[in-house]
Amino acid sequence: MESGSVTTPFGRRSMTLGMLASQAAARKIEPGQSIDKWKLYRALCEARPLLGITDRALAILSALLSFYPKGELSEDNGLVVFPSNAQLSLRAHGMAEQTIRRHLATLIEAGLLIRKDSPNGKRYARKEQGGELREAFGFSLAPLLVRAEEIERLAAEVVAERLHLQRLRERLTLCRRDVAKLIEMALEEGAAGDWSAIHLHFRNVVEQLPRSPSAEQIAATLDEMEMLREEIVNQLEMQVKTHNQSGNAQQTERHIQNSNPQSITELEPAFETKQGETADDRSEGRVGPTEQIQKVERKSEPVSGANAASANAALKSFPLGLVLQACPEITAYGPQGAIGTWRDLMAAAVVVRSMLGVSPSAYEQACEIMGAENAATVMACVLERAGHITSAGGYLRDLTRRAEKGEFAIGPMLMALARINSPVRGKVG
């Protein structure tokens, strides 16, 4: 721009103080100052959120820069470009002229362009007889050169904030994984503590985070998650230390073992074999209406054989609250439509067994191998996944065989359902 000049817009467009300020700032170009135009454009793209311009406006600015003949912006080469709207449209991928005018106005309001209008409002240039450019009317790129340092600083701030956000997300992801794995391990090992409540608290912390959180929100969630992880680690380390000091591993194992004195067979009707009745009829519960059905109460007895005993010992029972959180469907089958105790859950499991077509023999075998509480828990999980299981009876027998060999653990199946059926699930996974 010519030193000391002030350019007013053509036609009905009015002059504003912002335009005057932009023109005054554009006259402060230092002698010999220059910058690579595409390097500056990349910085503009990074700094876009802080400059308040849209991606469409940046597309128009890119088209304008493409009309600048040199690779570097410099006052010595002139800073005015003068393409028509039709030419701009071609280089802006066919953008409509009305849209072009709107985004040009946005760039001018943001102080990134100055409109230098001709007497008739057209964009053109006058050249000397030797072909040198004497004067041009169009859009001045001088503000870009003047604000180059500011734009690069803003771009660096945006990049630093993005990296900071990325690191926070990574730390939160690692911390979430640690807490989830520690809770799952504590449940699998039968560690003392209200792990159901701890798991619910963990899910609450996770679900409070919005879908597109800010760095401050992620940092606050990370602080709470790290505190939870530290508490869990301290609690588990204290138990390990106490266990090592006592030196009585067998006592600890007995303490965390499921010891339910009530057998599931107290809740399950037993059938006496009458003369002429086959074993298959009895095992599948196919008893004729004229045959006598007698309900027998008996205490559960351990299964003979080392495999069954070791499988029963290897499976730990889980907190009832966690089972009901993971398998809410079974609650409706409890006495009076509610489950408050393990006995209620086992009664509901008997109803579900019959509803899903699982034979009494298959369920009794599961109780003998896994334990009554664990068999009821597995039955609740089978009900929850009933739509994906072709034969509930065959599925239960397969799990029982795997449990007898020590190849089945309830924890992963239960924790997966707990994550799906979390009461606070719905915002962010």
Side-chain angles (χ1 to χ4, degrees), residues 303-360:
V303 179
S304 60
N307 289 341
S310 62
N312 200 347
L315 289 176
K316 312 291 189 302
S317 61
F318 291 83
L320 180 61
L322 178 60
V323 176
L324 295 179
Q325 176 198 331
C327 309
E329 294 290 335
I330 200 168
T331 304
Y333 299 92
Q336 298 179 351
I339 294 177
T341 64
W342 276 107
R343 187 176 179 85
D344 292 343
L345 179 65
M346 289 186 284
V350 171
V351 177
V352 170
R353 173 206 68 73
S354 177
M355 182 188 72
L356 294 181
V358 178
S359 66

Side-chain angles (χ1 to χ4, degrees), residues 2-22:
E2 296 177 3
S3 179
S5 66
V6 173
T7 302
T8 56
F10 171 79
R12 297 181 180 180
R13 289 190 294 266
S14 59
M15 184 69 177
T16 65
L17 288 175
M19 293 180 184
L20 188 62
S22 295

Side-chain angles (χ1 to χ4, degrees), residues 224-413:
E224 193 168 357
M225 194 70 69
E226 287 179 338
M227 285 175 34
L228 179 60
R229 179 177 61 183
E230 186 176 356
E231 291 174 4
I232 292 173
V233 170
N234 289 339
Q235 185 173 346
L236 293 173
E237 286 181 346
M238 287 178 61
Q239 293 188 44
V240 171
K241 185 177 179 181
T242 304
H243 173 73
N244 291 338
Q245 287 177 348
S246 67
N248 191 349
Q250 293 180 352
Q251 183 179 0
T252 304
E253 180 68 18
R254 286 197 301 271
H255 175 68
I256 62 177
Q257 197 57 242
N258 168 35
S259 57
N260 180 34
Q262 298 174 342
S263 168
I264 194 65
T265 54
E266 295 180 0
L267 306 171
E268 179 80 346
F271 303 99
E272 289 187 347
T273 307
K274 297 193 68 179
Q275 185 175 4
E277 178 185 348
T278 65
D280 288 340
D281 289 334
R282 185 173 65 87
S283 65
E284 295 300 327
R286 295 190 292 269
V287 182
T290 59
E291 294 170 325
Q292 182 181 9
I293 302 175
Q294 181 179 7
K295 185 175 180 181
V296 179
E297 291 188 354
R298 60 185 181 183
K299 294 183 179 180
S300 62
E301 298 177 356
V303 179
S304 60
N307 289 341
S310 62
N312 200 347
L315 289 176
K316 312 291 189 302
S317 61
F318 291 83
L320 180 61
L322 178 60
V323 176
L324 295 179
Q325 176 198 331
C327 309
E329 294 290 335
I330 200 168
T331 304
Y333 299 92
Q336 298 179 351
I339 294 177
T341 64
W342 276 107
R343 187 176 179 85
D344 292 343
L345 179 65
M346 289 186 284
V350 171
V351 177
V352 170
R353 173 206 68 73
S354 177
M355 182 188 72
L356 294 181
V358 178
S359 66
S361 62
Y363 190 51
E364 287 174 9
Q365 185 181 14
C367 293
E368 292 169 351
I369 298 297
M370 302 181 189
E373 291 181 359
N374 287 326
T377 299
V378 170
M379 207 67 244
C381 293
V382 171
L383 173 65
E384 207 67 31
R385 301 187 65 249
H388 305 281
I389 297 173
T390 304
S391 172
Y395 183 68
L396 181 62
R397 287 189 184 276
D398 180 62
L399 293 182
T400 302
R401 283 194 295 269
R402 290 168 56 192
E404 189 173 12
K405 297 176 183 179
E407 298 174 352
F408 170 63
I410 301 175
M413 177 169 62

